[in-house]
Amino acid sequence: FASGCRVGARGPLRLRLPSWRAGAEERRSPACRSLAAAAAMPRLSENMLFGMGNPLLDICAVVDKDFLDKYGLKPNDQILAEQKHKELFEELVKKFKVEYHAGGSTQNSVKVAQWMIQSPYKVATFFGCIGTDKFGDILKKKAEEAHVDAHYYEQSEEPTGTCAACITGDNRSLVANLAAANCYKKEKHLDLEKNWKLVEKAKVYYIAGFFLTVSPEAILKVATQASANNKIFSLNLSAPFISQFYKEPMMKVMPYVDILFGNETEAATFAREQGFETEDIREIARKAQALPKVNLKRQRIVVFTQGKDNTIMATETEVRSFPVLISDQSEIVDTNGAGDAFVGGFLSQLVYDRPLTECIRAGHYAASVIIKRSGCTFPEKPDFH
């Protein structure tokens, strides 16, 4: 990812040092080496990480199987709300104890990345559309509290989007009513000079696949800009229905994707839709890595999480697996947001140009924190070293 890096046979990206420098490195004490590493670390500045997506207010509740059955929900799924789900949101609030959290997949990830980074504030930028209402005000306040530089496109035709997170045991069924989030207009927001300048300031970009249902043209504009300037553009498969019903816009963006994220269910659906003819997750990752790409200066990286099972990473030369941090089952409160948190942790190290193994380690750490709390929330400071 940095110039002069390669993927080592047994390790992450390794810097090729001249032999005399390598010898000098080995002779230095660990304390000197860590000081040197800190000094060599790139300094972060505002707006280096850019995210764009659907800002939603999450309405979270532990529900029963009857509730899922009534609305035809699978225990572990993400869907867009249809007419039959109209009453679901009201019933959820009336019947169960609910908690409200600022959500939306991309917004969650950039919030977690900013939390992991801590300082400076506003390394993370976020674009999305909200309504001019109470829920919109809550989202603005929550973004500010998280020190994310959120620039919302605000309109009054549709209310701020919501997402019902229906939790049963370790599973969560998400039903998103995009509302205002669906109203994002590239020409009225992204194309404005002051906003586009923020896009150009970034060096790492992340967009969840969910946004393909809203503004594929906005995604393409960001992706092509990143590719042309040899910056890092990352995308998430996000949900099985994206690979199924938004295949065409997704595959238009895919040649610009430097890092592709997803979970095992999304990967399996993607493989079926792409005719990969395999159910082996390592093989799916390898085939996704090899899909056509525009910017050949950066070879694509594919990262698939599998809940409590190993995370899989495919690079140009190898497919590796990484064990997750095992949590005591009794400590798990809510797996909603674990995938978003993983991406946030990953991105928090990527902006520093750290090795991919460190990015994955940070992703696992962030996810392990988030699953012990309700919603995609976190303590004041991370304990990641």
Side-chain angles (χ1 to χ4, degrees):
F1 267 44
S3 58
C5 288
R6 63 187 170 84
V7 177
R10 283 181 300 142
L13 299 173
R14 300 200 184 283
L15 221 50
R16 282 178 287 191
L17 296 169
S19 54
W20 62 268
R21 273 189 65 196
E25 282 293 307
E26 279 159 22
R27 285 194 298 273
R28 288 153 96 183
S29 73
C32 283
R33 283 205 298 272
S34 64
L35 278 171
M41 215 164 65
R43 286 179 70 83
L44 298 188
S45 54
E46 287 187 5
N47 311 115
M48 279 177 90
L49 171 64
F50 176 83
M52 180 167 64
N54 301 330
L56 304 172
L57 191 70
D58 286 347
I59 305 170
C60 309
V62 174
V63 303
D64 49 38
K65 190 178 177 298
D66 290 349
F67 185 80
L68 296 184
D69 293 345
K70 180 177 177 180
Y71 291 102
L73 304 177
K74 294 177 191 163
N76 212 12
D77 203 9
Q78 307 100 327
I79 61 166
L80 292 178
E82 298 169 40
Q83 195 59 34
K84 65 179 179 183
H85 302 118
K86 220 170 165 54
E87 265 102 65
L88 179 148
F89 293 86
E90 280 173 39
E91 188 178 338
L92 191 68
V93 174
K94 274 186 195 154
K95 200 170 170 186
F96 303 97
K97 185 175 178 289
V98 300
E99 286 187 18
Y100 294 96
H101 298 289
S105 184
T106 305
Q107 187 166 241
N108 281 343
S109 293
V110 298
K111 261 170 50 186
V112 169
Q114 181 64 55
W115 169 68
M116 289 283 286
I117 291 163
Q118 286 286 302
S119 137
Y121 292 163
K122 297 188 175 181
V123 170
T125 315
F126 178 75
F127 285 7
C129 182
I130 59 174
T132 50
D133 53 23
K134 189 180 79 174
F135 283 176
D137 289 342
I138 292 174
L139 284 185
K140 283 194 280 191
K141 186 168 162 282
K142 296 280 187 190
E144 213 173 291
E145 285 169 5
H147 309 299
V148 168
D149 195 17
H151 293 258
Y152 295 114
Y153 169 50
E154 297 181 46
Q155 51 73 61
S156 52
E157 285 157 47
E158 286 281 345
T160 297
T162 48
C163 178
C166 308
I167 301 155
T168 51
D170 289 348
N171 297 314
R172 84 291 179 262
S173 195
L174 306 179
V175 186
N177 178 26
L178 295 184
N182 220 1
C183 300
Y184 188 83
K185 298 278 183 286
K186 170 182 163 288
E187 62 285 357
K188 290 188 177 176
H189 194 258
L190 186 71
D191 292 348
L192 301 184
E193 191 185 354
K194 62 174 184 175
N195 291 334
W196 187 247
K197 275 187 173 158
L198 290 170
V199 176
E200 290 178 322
K201 269 179 89 173
K203 69 170 201 170
V204 175
Y205 302 82
Y206 173 68
I207 299 176
F210 291 122
F211 202 59
L212 286 163
T213 73
V214 174
S215 186
E217 60 283 1
I219 299 178
L220 264 176
K221 183 173 182 179
V222 172
T224 51
Q225 188 274 153
S227 183
N229 292 285
N230 194 28
K231 294 174 173 183
I232 301 168
F233 180 80
S234 51
L235 183 80
N236 203 313
L237 293 175
S238 290
F241 80 86
I242 303 287
S243 293
Q244 290 169 300
F245 307 119
Y246 294 88
K247 191 193 304 190
E248 195 187 330
M250 177 184 269
M251 295 321 287
K252 272 189 185 161
V253 175
M254 198 57 72
Y256 302 100
V257 175
D258 297 304
I259 305 179
L260 180 68
F261 294 102
N263 67 24
E264 74 279 31
T265 320
E266 295 149 11
T269 305
F270 181 72
R272 270 197 307 277
E273 293 296 325
Q274 294 300 316
F276 283 176
E277 294 183 346
T278 179
E279 289 179 7
D280 180 289
I281 191 145
R282 295 174 72 94
E283 192 57 18
I284 294 169
R286 197 184 62 73
K287 290 193 170 193
Q289 190 282 329
L291 288 168
K293 194 165 185 304
V294 171
N295 178 16
L296 298 177
K297 290 179 196 156
R298 293 186 186 280
Q299 290 305 317
R300 184 180 292 115
I301 311 277
V302 176
V303 183
F304 290 149
T305 56
Q306 307 186 83
K308 60 182 182 296
D309 295 327
N310 288 1
T311 294
I312 303 297
M313 178 177 75
T315 62
E316 187 187 15
T317 56
E318 62 181 351
V319 180
R320 294 178 65 183
S321 65
F322 299 84
V324 302
L325 291 169
I326 300 299
S327 292
D328 185 332
Q329 205 62 22
S330 64
E331 291 183 291
I332 298 174
V333 173
D334 177 6
T335 55
N336 180 30
D340 297 339
F342 172 84
V343 172
F346 190 104
L347 296 172
S348 75
Q349 304 306 295
L350 193 66
V351 289
Y352 282 113
D353 278 332
R354 288 189 182 138
L356 291 170
T357 48
E358 277 301 282
C359 296
I360 285 181
R361 192 169 75 85
H364 286 162
Y365 167 77
S368 77
V369 170
I370 264 71
I371 61 173
K372 292 171 189 163
R373 301 169 67 91
S374 180
C376 193
T377 63
F378 31 79
E380 193 187 341
K381 282 189 161 64
D383 182 22
F384 177 78
H385 308 288

